[in-house]
Amino acid sequence: MPKLYVLNVPEFEGLIESARNKPNCTIRSVGQSYRCIESDRPIKFVRREVGVGPAVWYGAFTGGIDGRLVDFGREEVTLVDA
Amino acid sequence: MSTPANLKHSGPSAQTPPSPALEGVHHTARPTWKLAETVHFYSEVMGLKVCHAITAKGWGPEDHPDFLHFFFDSGNGSTIAFFYYLGSQRPVDPVPWDHWLYRSVHTAWRVLDRGTLMEWKDRLESFGYDVMVVKHEILESIYVTDPNDYMIEISWQMRPLERNDAADARLTLKAAIEVEEKTSRPVQVIDDIWRAKARLVEQLTAGGVDLDA
């Protein structure tokens, strides 16, 4: 099950909002500082849906991942099982 | 963080005195082989006042014993300084001058808001500079290069740094060092750090560890 950890700061909030619109994603709190986006299938993120510029996009997984990034590019990326 | 075994100096011990207060960066210093151009750029383009200059004879090594060392007031008590080694040539570099080895070394000035940043963009463009604008995580920045090809950045910080940020940064570095210790080589891909960090985030929060500690 791919997982993405997101630090609770404004610049990464778009990841959470994007995940809320994905039917198979769940979001849970991990302590007070992080949330975890997880799904039973691959999670695809689209930069314009996340609403960030390239600099933040390329660092958007800094909270940590459980899984493997495929098709990582400037506009889209998919997180799959490891 | 623990001290790696291969570091020359040991970590703090019970006998180690506490860190005395440091009051911000007084100056950074770099060599220049373009005296007039550098003085023009920092005085006229960046608008910084020359505030100190040292002229020394025989103080440098044999191949350039004399030098100028000059400082510009860069705001809030800080300065930016240059060495002008008389009679020296810039060493031939093993890599191109625009290589990331040099590009990564830069000085960033703070401005208080986006409006001021855009005023700087306009000003630098009026001098004919191509100004690059980048919105980072907490900084929005503009970039130009000085006559020495040193990168100059001006930034405004879009939000204050919180305890979360520091805790997260420590976890990032802890994850990276753990990857290197586990593989016995410099970390190769960022994904390895991200995977190690996810484990740390889960472990620490599951254990009830205060990330702010």
Side-chain angles (χ1 to χ4, degrees), chain B residues 176-188 192:
Chain B
I177 291 168
E178 282 187 4
V179 169
E180 297 203 337
E181 287 176 343
K182 191 173 176 183
T183 60
S184 299
R185 65 171 186 165
V187 62
Q188 302 292 303
D192 290 343

Side-chain angles (χ1 to χ4, degrees), chain B residues 32-41 68 70 72 82-84 86 147-148:
Chain B
T32 179
W33 287 269
K34 294 182 177 180
L35 178 62
E37 295 94 325
T38 298
V39 170
H40 171 78
F41 178 82
L68 272 169
F70 52 100
F72 299 91
F82 291 88
F83 285 104
Y84 188 58
L86 308 191
N148 308 287

Side-chain angles (χ1 to χ4, degrees), chain A residues 30-34, chain B residues 200-209 211:
Chain A
V30 182
Q32 294 184 347
S33 298
Y34 295 88
Chain B
L200 288 176
V201 169
E202 279 288 3
Q203 286 168 10
L204 291 176
T205 52
V209 174
L211 285 177

Side-chain angles (χ1 to χ4, degrees), chain A residues 54-75:
Chain A
V56 175
W57 172 254
Y58 286 114
F61 295 94
T62 192
I65 57 172
D66 182 352
R68 186 166 52 89
L69 295 171
V70 295
D71 301 328
F72 188 84
R74 189 181 173 91
E75 304 300 335

Side-chain angles (χ1 to χ4, degrees), chain B residues 1 168-178 193 197 200:
Chain B
M1 283 182 194
D168 182 70
R170 287 196 297 271
L171 275 191
T172 295
L173 297 177
K174 182 179 173 68
I177 291 168
E178 282 187 4
I193 297 175
K197 185 159 169 203
L200 288 176

Side-chain angles (χ1 to χ4, degrees), chain B residues 37-59:
Chain B
E37 295 94 325
T38 298
V39 170
H40 171 78
F41 178 82
Y42 287 93
S43 296
E44 305 304 326
V45 179
M46 295 297 292
L48 307 181
K49 289 187 167 55
V50 174
C51 62
H52 184 49
I54 294 166
T55 56
K57 181 173 180 60
W59 178 239

Side-chain angles (χ1 to χ4, degrees), chain A:
Chain A
M1 180 177 280
K3 299 174 186 170
L4 165 62
Y5 295 83
V6 181
L7 181 66
N8 292 333
V9 290
E11 59 267 25
F12 296 133
E13 195 59 29
L15 289 165
I16 299 294
E17 292 306 313
S18 173
R20 283 193 210 287
N21 297 323
K22 300 181 191 302
N24 296 95
C25 280
T26 59
I27 300 164
R28 63 179 167 90
S29 290
V30 182
Q32 294 184 347
S33 298
Y34 295 88
R35 277 166 291 176
C36 178
I37 300 168
E38 53 195 332
S39 176
D40 57 2
R41 63 189 62 183
I43 310 171
K44 181 178 178 179
F45 289 98
V46 178
R47 186 165 69 85
R48 68 172 182 278
E49 293 173 1
V50 176
V52 295
V56 175
W57 172 254
Y58 286 114
F61 295 94
T62 192
I65 57 172
D66 182 352
R68 186 166 52 89
L69 295 171
V70 295
D71 301 328
F72 188 84
R74 189 181 173 91
E75 304 300 335
E76 295 181 1
V77 64
T78 301
L79 180 64
V80 302
D81 261 335

